[in-house]
């Protein structure tokens, strides 16, 4: 027989298969997910979730699509991203030390508690990339925050009210526009696409069955 575990969704008890993720367990229990559900593969960050295990006081954060259910798990999803994106035009700002102070001054109130890093479901060193942003090292901040999916779990634990994903995004945008060297081959490829050089190939790929597409993806050549 399939192993079952008892979980609590918004305080109500359910018995679900032990091999399910939190997201699939919610659907197994009868919930229709209309929000807080995106790519289902850990890339979009839409399913930020908080939980704790019965008998333990520690409150944990995770992505519901990537976290397996456990016995005695109390679960509640986060209804929206707890982040604050400031308004700016990337063409009007420059990668100066003052730009972070102007747009995200709260980063300088960081107390170094490391709660953001502990909350990150991607195991990103969040506190470190905030430190890079504080001293204007945008390229290092961009590299350290590169795998961020913007779930906002880090921001839920921050006593200084920092919107970590937005800080990382700004650093990556500044790096891409002003600091990283231009890639001529990418510019050429974009122009080829605009002029229809790959239209026939795209149509051919779009007509393939999903099983063949998965095989092509899994066996693709990856640049190192």
């Amino acid at each position: 027989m399939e192993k079952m575990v008892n979980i609590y969704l918004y305080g109500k008890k359910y018995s679900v298969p032990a091999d399910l993720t939190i997201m699939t367990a919610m659907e197994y229990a009868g919930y229709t997910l209309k929000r807080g559900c995106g790519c289902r593969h850990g890339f979009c960050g839409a399913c930020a979730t908080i939980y704790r295990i019965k008998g333990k006081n520690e409150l944990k954060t995770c992505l519901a699509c990537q976290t397996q259910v456990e016995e005695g798990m109390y679960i509640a999803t986060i209804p929206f991203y707890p982040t604050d994106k400031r308004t700016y035009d990337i063409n009007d700002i420059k990668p100066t030390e003052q730009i972070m102070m102007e747009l995200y001054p709260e980063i300088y109130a960081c107390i170094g508690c490391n709660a953001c890093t502990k909350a990150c479901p991607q195991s990103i060193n969040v506190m470190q990339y905030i430190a890079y942003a504080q001293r204007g090292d945008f390229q290092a901040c961009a590299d350290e925050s590169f795998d961020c999916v913007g779930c906002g779990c880090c921001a839920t634990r921050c006593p200084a009210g920092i919107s970590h994903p937005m800080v990382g995004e700004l650093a990556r945008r500044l790096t891409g526009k002003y600091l990283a060297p231009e890639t001529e081959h990418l510019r050429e490829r974009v122009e080829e696409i605009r002029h229809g050089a790959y239209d026939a190939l795209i149509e051919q790929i779009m007509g393939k069955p999903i099983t063949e597409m998965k095989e092509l993806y899994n066996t693709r050549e990856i640049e190192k």
Side-chain angles (χ1 to χ4, degrees), residues 72 87 121 126:
T87 301
V126 182

Side-chain angles (χ1 to χ4, degrees), residues 88-210:
Y88 58 85
D89 187 329
I90 193 66
N91 297 303
D92 295 336
I93 61 176
K94 301 296 180 183
T96 63
E97 292 185 12
Q98 291 75 28
I99 194 62
M100 282 293 176
M101 176 63 78
E102 294 174 9
L103 293 174
Y104 296 102
E106 62 274 15
I107 68 174
Y108 299 97
C110 173
I111 62 174
C113 65
N114 210 33
C116 52
T117 300
K118 293 177 181 178
C120 179
Q122 303 291 90
S123 299
I124 298 171
N125 193 340
V126 182
M127 191 176 76
Q128 180 61 67
Y129 81 66
I130 293 299
Y132 288 139
Q134 288 173 332
R135 53 181 182 259
D137 193 344
F138 299 121
Q139 287 182 294
C141 181
D143 289 340
E144 195 71 44
S145 67
F146 186 79
D147 290 328
C148 175
V149 296
C151 68
C153 286
C154 50
T156 66
R157 307 300 295 273
C158 181
I162 299 171
S163 296
H164 312 75
M166 299 298 101
V167 174
E169 180 182 279
L170 175 57
R172 295 192 298 277
R173 295 189 73 193
L174 287 169
T175 298
K177 184 170 179 61
Y178 297 109
L179 303 176
E182 291 190 8
T183 52
E184 188 59 33
H185 68 284
L186 178 60
R187 188 190 303 276
E188 293 174 356
R189 181 58 56 86
V190 170
E191 286 302 314
E192 290 173 354
I193 293 172
R194 285 176 175 169
H195 287 88
Y198 300 95
D199 287 355
L201 179 60
I202 293 173
E203 287 293 328
Q204 180 184 349
I205 292 175
M206 292 294 290
K208 292 183 181 295
I210 189 65

